Amino acid sequence: MTLPPGTSRRQVLAAAAAAAAAPLVAAGPAQAHRPTRPQSWSLTLLGTSDTHGNVYNWDYYKDAEFDDSKQNDVGLAKIATLINEIRAERRNRGILVLDAGDTIQGTPLTTYYAKQEPITETHQRHPMARAMNVIDYDAVTLGNHEFNYGLPLLDLWIRQLGFPALAANAVNARTGRPAFTPYVIKKVDLGPGAPALRVGILGLTNPGVAIWDRGNVEGRLRFEDMVATAAKYVPIMRARGADLVVLSAHGGDSGTSSYGPELPVENPTALIAQRVPGIDAILFGHAHLEIPEKFVTNEQTGAQVLTSEPSKWGQRLTRMDFTLSRQRGRWVVTDKHATMLNSNTVVEDPKVLAAVRAQHNTTVGYVNQVVATSVTELSAAASRYRDTPILDYINKVQTDTVAAALAGGEYAQLPVLSIAAPFSRDAVFPAGEVKIKDVAGLYIYDNTLEAVVLTGAQVRAYLEYSAKYFVTLAPDAPVDPETISDPAVPDYNYDTLSGVDYEIDISRPVGERITTLNHPGTDTPVGDDERFVVAVNNYRRSGGGNFPGIVQTQVYNEQQEIRQLLIDWAQDRGAIDPADFFEPNWRLVRAGVPVFE
């Protein structure tokens, strides 16, 4: 660039700036301008869900390391090792760690610090808070089981966390305002030279809480539709600067519900991805499925929403990887995919183990206390298809408890029936010493006992609904106990009743299988208008499983945990003898012929 003599310094600088801003003029092929490719950065999101109180790789019911037929391991201590390896790989840049809920319920460890030494009384730090704080999560979504032990314990656990607990669709029933933190927007360091990336994280809990934990939340919290809540908050997060929007949702992706149409959909993750624009990815849980990577097309924008569900109990860790670039001053996701990591490939993290060791050891000591002596071994292995004494142990305890509570009152003259549900098919009471872990292993949920009044017609309808658990078999078809049940119906949705005699004819179509329903020990049929008191757990009575007729006003509800009642009954008597409670009253038949003798 040549300027005339006498040009001032200001003119020189102006000319130089103009030259720098001017487009290049190609003088030939060798000088052709090739625009540089935008620089790319990456973000990794790690996710767990449905850890259900598992920290150690330990089975408290067997008092041994956890193991199953697929050689899975469990626990946050293993998950921590996987997370630490990925943090080291990425040098702690561009990484987020989320959990999609169901955290503080599910093992004797968490039950102990909710029931035996509740943190609301001792003010100890909850074992799941200890473990998750060591791992240093960025956020956790509240699952439905977070509400099992009441709002005071939940609120204290949240205060013990070093990161936010999210639930945008849980609102104060009186004010309509969010009861918990709806979302957070996190600034993430992607590395040297990268502009700041702001990631919006929205948490959605399950509307079924309103049914399953009605006693803890009714009149206090309302649970709104997850799809509508996402549609409300995603634009807000974008308007407040979120470059990337991720949902952490405690609801499966099947689009179905276990409780009928009276509440918003229980498993709407795919619907959220389809109907709500502006979402980049969804980490989800609740269904306990292993879904490494699934893309869902948004109906409005055509964008592909990345979704993933990391199984349960700390068996798997979702890894989502995003490639991003800056285009016209905005972040753009140019690629995304997800993989699933297996926790059985690593050892447990010593820092997580140390943080929870004292509470783990206390729990192990507790579940190994002897409560009674059994005169014989009792197993639940065949209880799905054959009447067994171990389920009648549940029924005996429930029946006696309700009958004693109602004695002398309005319902004292009504027969008491009992529903045994759910149960673990792996449960065994050994001959000889029976420990707390054996009893807890039979009834693995923290359900409480309730009772309602049903008619004979309602009892029959309930049994018909339960009987859909079985496949239909012709009278001459071969029978295999392992394939006799419909895989679409989970074990926990098969119930048995005591107090009436009945037959389930599995050669008949669903809805027509209860061919005999008599008063016990007689040939007298149960009349449609007869009334019965029915002992049942709070989950089922509140609508869990969508069983017909059972959602009735309780005539008994003293908030007594069924598992503890089973323990107390054995402890009070010192002996478990089937002669005291076993009354065979149901069987599977085909065209009237017993399937199993």
Side-chain angles (χ1 to χ4, degrees), residues 294-316:
K294 181 187 287 187
F295 286 95
V296 179
T297 303
N298 184 268
E299 296 170 344
Q300 294 185 39
T301 66
Q304 295 295 298
V305 182
L306 174 62
T307 72
S308 180
E309 181 176 16
S311 187
K312 63 184 185 298
W313 305 348
Q315 293 178 353
R316 302 290 185 271

Side-chain angles (χ1 to χ4, degrees), residues 129-454:
R130 291 178 185 272
M132 296 180 84
N133 285 343
V134 172
I135 293 172
D136 193 18
Y137 277 78
D138 290 284
V140 61
T141 292
L142 301 184
N144 53 283
H145 282 290
E146 264 65 83
F147 297 86
N148 286 173
Y149 302 118
L151 297 181
L153 187 140
L154 173 57
D155 290 341
L156 178 56
W157 175 68
I158 290 173
R159 293 199 303 272
Q160 292 177 345
L161 298 173
F163 48 88
L166 310 177
N169 59 318
V171 301
N172 185 296
R174 182 176 58 85
T175 66
R177 296 176 61 83
F180 305 94
T181 303
Y183 66 90
V184 292
I185 298 178
K186 299 271 298 186
K187 273 189 178 181
V188 183
D189 174 17
L190 298 184
L197 175 72
R198 293 165 60 87
V199 180
I201 305 164
L202 176 68
L204 299 170
T205 193
N206 203 283
V209 175
I211 286 179
W212 304 320
D213 274 298
R214 181 172 291 159
N216 291 330
V217 302
E218 192 169 31
R220 302 175 186 179
L221 299 178
R222 186 173 71 248
F223 295 86
E224 298 183 339
D225 183 272
M226 295 170 73
V227 181
T229 303
K232 171 184 175 180
Y233 278 103
V234 169
I236 292 173
M237 295 161 66
R238 289 288 186 182
R240 293 184 177 176
D243 302 303
L244 190 79
V245 170
V246 175
L247 269 59
S248 176
H250 196 78
D253 68 347
S254 66
T256 62
S257 300
S258 67
Y259 43 65
E262 65 271 21
L263 287 179
V265 175
E266 177 183 353
N267 296 296
T269 294
L271 297 176
I272 296 171
Q274 288 170 5
R275 298 176 183 176
V276 181
I279 299 169
D280 293 287
I282 305 177
L283 172 74
F284 67 101
H286 185 59
H288 292 198
L289 299 178
E290 182 177 343
I291 302 177
E293 178 186 77
K294 181 187 287 187
F295 286 95
V296 179
T297 303
N298 184 268
E299 296 170 344
Q300 294 185 39
T301 66
Q304 295 295 298
V305 182
L306 174 62
T307 72
S308 180
E309 181 176 16
S311 187
K312 63 184 185 298
W313 305 348
Q315 293 178 353
R316 302 290 185 271
L317 177 70
T318 283
R319 174 173 179 164
M320 294 182 177
D321 287 294
F322 302 85
T323 303
L324 305 104
S325 67
R326 295 286 288 181
Q327 298 179 18
R328 298 181 179 177
R330 297 175 60 248
W331 282 107
V332 176
V333 177
T334 58
D335 186 48
K336 54 188 172 183
H337 63 91
T339 54
M340 195 70 68
L341 305 178
N342 194 329
S343 66
N344 72 4
T345 61
V346 295
V347 299
E348 293 173 292
D349 177 67
K351 291 183 179 179
V352 172
L353 295 180
V356 185
R357 180 169 290 117
Q359 292 171 311
H360 167 76
N361 290 341
T362 296
T363 304
V364 169
Y366 170 72
V367 299
N368 278 284
Q369 292 179 25
V370 175
V371 292
T373 300
S374 181
V375 300
T376 187
E377 179 180 285
L378 303 178
S379 170
S383 294
R384 295 169 299 122
Y385 53 86
R386 179 182 282 127
D387 198 346
T388 58
I390 199 166
L391 290 199
D392 273 356
Y393 176 74
I394 297 174
N395 285 325
K396 173 66 172 175
V397 173
Q398 293 186 163
T399 299
D400 284 0
T401 302
V402 170
L406 298 181
E410 177 184 357
Y411 305 99
Q413 301 308 311
L414 296 182
V416 178
L417 314 185
S418 174
I419 297 173
F423 60 90
S424 168
R425 69 168 77 178
D426 298 324
V428 176
F429 291 178
E433 292 184 342
V434 177
K435 299 177 180 179
I436 286 175
K437 68 182 179 68
D438 302 317
V439 180
L442 170 63
Y443 203 96
I444 59 174
Y445 294 102
D446 298 329
N447 294 328
T448 57
L449 182 61
E450 300 183 3
V452 297
V453 174
L454 299 184

Side-chain angles (χ1 to χ4, degrees), residues 24 31-39:
L24 293 174
Q31 298 177 2
H33 174 63
R34 294 182 178 88
T36 58
R37 296 177 61 185
Q39 187 173 353

Side-chain angles (χ1 to χ4, degrees), residues 366 371 393 436 439 563-572:
Y366 170 72
V371 292
Y393 176 74
I436 286 175
V439 180
R563 184 162 51 191
Q564 192 61 48
L565 289 170
L566 299 177
I567 293 168
D568 292 344
W569 194 93
Q571 214 159 19
D572 290 344

Side-chain angles (χ1 to χ4, degrees), residues 454-591:
L454 299 184
T455 66
Q458 289 172 321
V459 170
R460 179 182 289 276
Y462 191 100
L463 289 171
E464 288 284 10
Y465 186 86
S466 180
K468 72 177 185 177
Y469 175 75
F470 298 103
V471 297
T472 303
L473 289 177
D476 57 350
V479 177
D480 181 351
E482 292 306 311
T483 59
I484 199 170
S485 58
D486 185 341
V489 182
D491 283 354
Y492 57 78
N493 273 351
Y494 175 62
D495 297 358
T496 66
L497 272 74
S498 68
V500 290
D501 292 349
Y502 62 98
E503 291 184 343
I504 305 169
D505 193 330
I506 59 173
S507 68
R508 299 180 63 82
V510 170
E512 302 176 13
R513 290 179 165 179
I514 306 304
T515 52
T516 301
L517 181 60
N518 294 335
H519 287 277
T522 75
D523 293 327
T524 305
V526 170
D528 283 352
D529 296 330
E530 292 187 67
R531 298 170 77 224
F532 301 87
V533 171
V534 181
V536 62
N537 70 63
N538 67 297
Y539 171 80
R540 195 67 88 222
R541 205 283 312 165
S542 297
N546 202 27
F547 277 67
I550 198 67
V551 181
Q552 305 281 347
T553 301
Q554 306 100 312
V555 299
Y556 167 86
N557 181 14
E558 295 183 2
Q559 292 293 298
Q560 291 187 288
E561 189 180 315
I562 294 171
R563 184 162 51 191
Q564 192 61 48
L565 289 170
L566 299 177
I567 293 168
D568 292 344
W569 194 93
Q571 214 159 19
D572 290 344
R573 287 155 182 78
I576 297 175
D577 185 346
D580 295 334
F581 50 80
F582 185 36
E583 296 180 4
N585 70 298
W586 67 273
R587 62 181 181 174
L588 294 184
V589 300
R590 289 187 295 178

